[in-house]
Amino acid sequence: MESPPNFTPLFFFISLTLTLTISTIVSANSEGDALYTLKRTLSDPYNVLQSWDPTLVSPCTWFHVTCNQNNRVTRLDLGNSNLSGHLVPELGKLEHLQYLELYKNNIHGVIPPELGNLKNLISLDLYNNNISGTVPPSLGNLKNLVFLRLNDNRLTGPIPKELVGLPNLKVVDVSSNDLCGTIPTSGPFEHIPWNNFENNPRLEGPELLGLVHYDTNCS
């Protein structure tokens, strides 16, 4: 008597494929939801975000969004797009994001601490906006970060000491804000030019001593 055909390996393969496919779709939808939340907070007079349709399965077809081969968002390129509004905590859900480019807009409000969840982030470019509040210490979690450009905003408070521990950080520019306290001189800050800290009247550093009057109350 012949044994019935063994479908177990085939069934396992099909189940695994379906599971991975569903997981990818769910992840893509989650990232799309996060980006669409950002869109809803922004004023977009030139319809730069017109293609951001939340009914699509994946945000990878949206303009200004780049994905990897697994359909996970890796770049958000919205620099110089005449956008205004504020950043949203949901951006911290884009766990594969490497480049967050929102420079030269009119973004206001604070930098969400949730951006510290973006463990793959290489470049954070928020310069030339109207961002206020402090630089979140959570950015010290971004161990892959190379470029941190926050210049020409309205940031206050100290430069977080947590940033000293970022092993790959090569470019830091926080000039033209209202930061206070002392400029770090160790770790990646050892090689950052002093002019990347200028135009912060309450920020103190060895090369700036005697040039400005410091307010010792930094908070």
Side-chain angles (χ1 to χ4, degrees), residues 5-18:
N6 186 358
F7 292 108
T8 302
L10 179 60
F11 177 76
F12 176 77
F13 175 77
I14 294 174
S15 297
L16 180 61
T17 301
L18 286 173

Side-chain angles (χ1 to χ4, degrees), residues 20 30 52 68 74 92 97 106 125 136 173 178 183 185 193 197 210 214:
L20 292 175
S30 175
W52 289 27
N68 61 17
T74 57
L97 193 67
N106 189 28
D125 281 332
D173 194 340
D178 192 24
I183 298 171
T185 56
F197 304 98
Y214 298 111

Side-chain angles (χ1 to χ4, degrees), residues 34-42 52 76 86-88 91:
L35 291 174
Y36 190 67
T37 300
L38 174 65
K39 177 184 178 179
R40 292 194 309 174
T41 70
L42 297 177
W52 289 27
L76 184 58
H86 64 271
L87 303 178
V88 294
L91 288 172

Side-chain angles (χ1 to χ4, degrees), residues 24-210:
T24 299
I25 291 173
V26 169
S27 298
N29 281 340
S30 175
E31 293 182 333
D33 289 344
L35 291 174
Y36 190 67
T37 300
L38 174 65
K39 177 184 178 179
R40 292 194 309 174
T41 70
L42 297 177
S43 173
D44 178 21
Y46 294 116
N47 292 320
V48 173
L49 307 177
Q50 188 173 15
S51 66
W52 289 27
D53 183 351
T55 65
L56 299 178
V57 172
S58 168
C60 298
T61 59
W62 298 355
F63 290 162
H64 312 290
V65 175
T66 303
C67 294
N68 61 17
Q69 61 185 3
N70 296 317
N71 290 323
R72 305 302 295 272
V73 176
T74 57
R75 290 189 66 112
L76 184 58
D77 291 292
L78 289 170
N80 200 22
S81 296
N82 203 38
L83 300 171
S84 59
H86 64 271
L87 303 178
V88 294
E90 286 80 1
L91 288 172
K93 296 179 180 179
L94 305 175
E95 58 183 34
H96 292 267
L97 193 67
Q98 296 178 330
Y99 295 87
L100 181 54
E101 309 295 323
L102 280 161
Y103 55 87
K104 293 186 180 179
N105 285 291
N106 189 28
I107 305 297
H108 54 80
V110 303
I111 300 174
E114 289 81 2
L115 295 189
N117 297 331
L118 303 176
K119 302 298 177 62
N120 291 293
L121 200 65
I122 294 172
S123 177
L124 179 58
D125 281 332
L126 301 177
Y127 60 89
N128 282 105
N129 277 290
N130 201 26
I131 299 172
S132 57
T134 61
V135 180
S138 61
L139 298 187
N141 297 329
L142 305 178
K143 302 304 182 185
N144 289 304
L145 194 66
V146 178
F147 306 100
L148 178 62
R149 288 175 280 228
L150 306 175
N151 50 290
D152 295 277
N153 280 290
R154 297 192 298 117
L155 294 167
T156 57
I159 298 173
K161 62 183 184 301
E162 288 81 0
L163 300 183
V164 171
L166 295 179
N168 295 301
L169 193 59
K170 295 290 188 289
V171 175
V172 177
D173 194 340
V174 293
S175 59
S176 301
N177 280 286
D178 192 24
L179 298 174
C180 58
T182 304
I183 298 171
T185 56
S186 59
F189 288 86
E190 184 177 354
H191 305 290
I192 303 299
W194 290 113
N195 59 355
N196 288 16
F197 304 98
E198 66 184 6
N199 296 325
N200 286 280
R202 299 191 296 147
L203 196 59
E204 178 179 352
E207 296 294 322
L208 304 177
L209 288 174

